[in-house]
Amino acid sequence: MAHLDTNRHIYYYVLQGNSNILSDERDKKKLLDIILSVRRERDFELYAFCLTDEEVFLLTGAKRQAKLDRAVRVISAEYAAYYVDKHIYAKNAAYSGVKSAATLQDRRVYGLETVWKERLNHMQEVRDKCRAIHCIPVERGYAGRIRDYWWSSYRSYLGYYEWKDLDMLPMLQLFAPEPEKARRQLRRFHELIFQNGFETRSGKERLLLEVPKD
């Protein structure tokens, strides 16, 4: 199995917040805006993502692993500041007229904590983790098919919607050198390997995927 470029650190992060901290679709959009903004400012790569109501799954890369950790901390702090301003200070009469600024305690309560971090060293590991991230909405019951879930990078890989600053090319090149062929093979890797009615183990869950008809 081939190794990835040794100059590139590829990491899988799972961030978790309070229960339903991302249940509002507008909050998911804001967090994704923050993630993509920090990605531009901090110069790291974002290959895949999925946002649920209380967790964030990221597949990232950078020349230095410390850069990724700092970027994740900035994402958490900026989201905590936004969440406190919108949901806590703005609705609490005790803070009426007070300009909000997330304190350290606010960030701990309303931020996103890194609960899992894993370095990936082989191409197949990266491919598998990308697919696992995109399958989370079906596994968790958010959608019937992975392509139907909005808050994931999979729709961008299919060409349905473009999330700016998502680094798709390095991932596509793991499947084929030609972009369109790579897109088809990535889709097949995600969906067509499952036969209708076939169950595969995904963590502690049983995952059932429908084969696309188009």
Side-chain angles (χ1 to χ4, degrees):
M1 186 180 294
H3 285 267
L4 294 172
D5 183 353
T6 55
N7 293 322
R8 184 67 53 186
H9 296 264
I10 310 297
Y11 271 85
Y12 167 59
Y13 285 86
V14 180
L15 314 180
Q16 190 174 65
N18 287 336
S19 179
N20 295 322
I21 195 170
L22 290 164
S23 59
D24 189 319
E25 302 293 276
R26 293 168 294 183
D27 292 340
K28 288 189 180 73
K29 176 62 167 60
K30 179 62 179 181
L31 175 58
L32 190 51
D33 287 343
I34 290 172
I35 291 171
L36 295 174
S37 174
V38 173
R39 177 250 173 273
R40 291 192 299 271
E41 295 169 358
R42 297 278 169 165
D43 191 28
F44 68 91
E45 294 177 344
L46 178 64
Y47 308 121
F49 66 82
C50 180
L51 278 58
T52 68
D53 286 355
E54 56 194 45
E55 289 179 298
V56 181
F57 304 86
L58 304 174
L59 185 57
T60 64
K63 289 185 177 180
R64 292 189 298 118
Q65 188 268 325
K67 176 179 287 189
L68 293 174
D69 284 344
R70 287 195 294 270
V72 168
R73 288 196 295 269
V74 171
I75 289 168
S76 178
E78 290 193 9
Y79 184 73
Y82 155 80
Y83 192 88
V84 167
D85 184 51
K86 178 180 177 182
H87 295 282
I88 309 302
Y89 286 6
K91 296 180 180 180
N92 192 329
Y95 294 102
S96 179
V98 177
K99 182 176 178 58
S100 66
T103 65
L104 181 60
Q105 181 61 25
D106 290 332
R107 293 178 187 180
R108 288 172 178 167
V109 175
Y110 302 108
L112 298 163
E113 178 185 0
T114 299
V115 296
W116 183 262
K117 180 175 69 175
E118 176 184 358
R119 183 170 183 180
L120 310 177
N121 297 304
H122 300 86
M123 291 182 181
Q124 190 59 45
E125 287 181 307
V126 176
R127 285 158 50 110
D128 289 347
K129 194 64 70 175
C130 178
R131 182 173 64 185
I133 289 172
H134 291 152
C135 286
I136 285 168
V138 173
E139 177 185 323
R140 303 290 177 84
Y142 288 94
R145 297 177 300 185
I146 57 177
R147 62 174 175 164
D148 291 339
Y149 191 67
W150 184 262
W151 305 108
S152 140
S153 49
Y154 187 60
R155 290 172 61 85
S156 288
Y157 278 102
L158 295 183
Y160 292 172
Y161 184 83
E162 180 184 358
W163 289 107
K164 292 183 179 179
D165 299 301
L166 177 66
D167 298 284
M168 294 190 293
L169 184 58
M171 183 63 62
L172 289 171
Q173 289 177 339
L174 294 181
F175 291 87
E178 302 84 8
E180 286 308 312
K181 182 178 180 181
R183 192 186 300 273
R184 291 194 301 270
Q185 291 193 5
L186 179 142
R187 176 173 177 166
R188 178 175 294 275
F189 178 70
H190 276 67
E191 298 181 355
L192 297 183
I193 59 170
F194 297 99
Q195 299 297 320
N196 196 25
F198 178 78
E199 291 184 328
T200 182
R201 178 69 63 179
S202 177
K204 296 181 179 179
E205 304 291 334
R206 299 294 276 180
L207 179 63
L208 179 64
L209 296 182
E210 175 184 342
V211 177
K213 296 180 174 59
D214 59 3

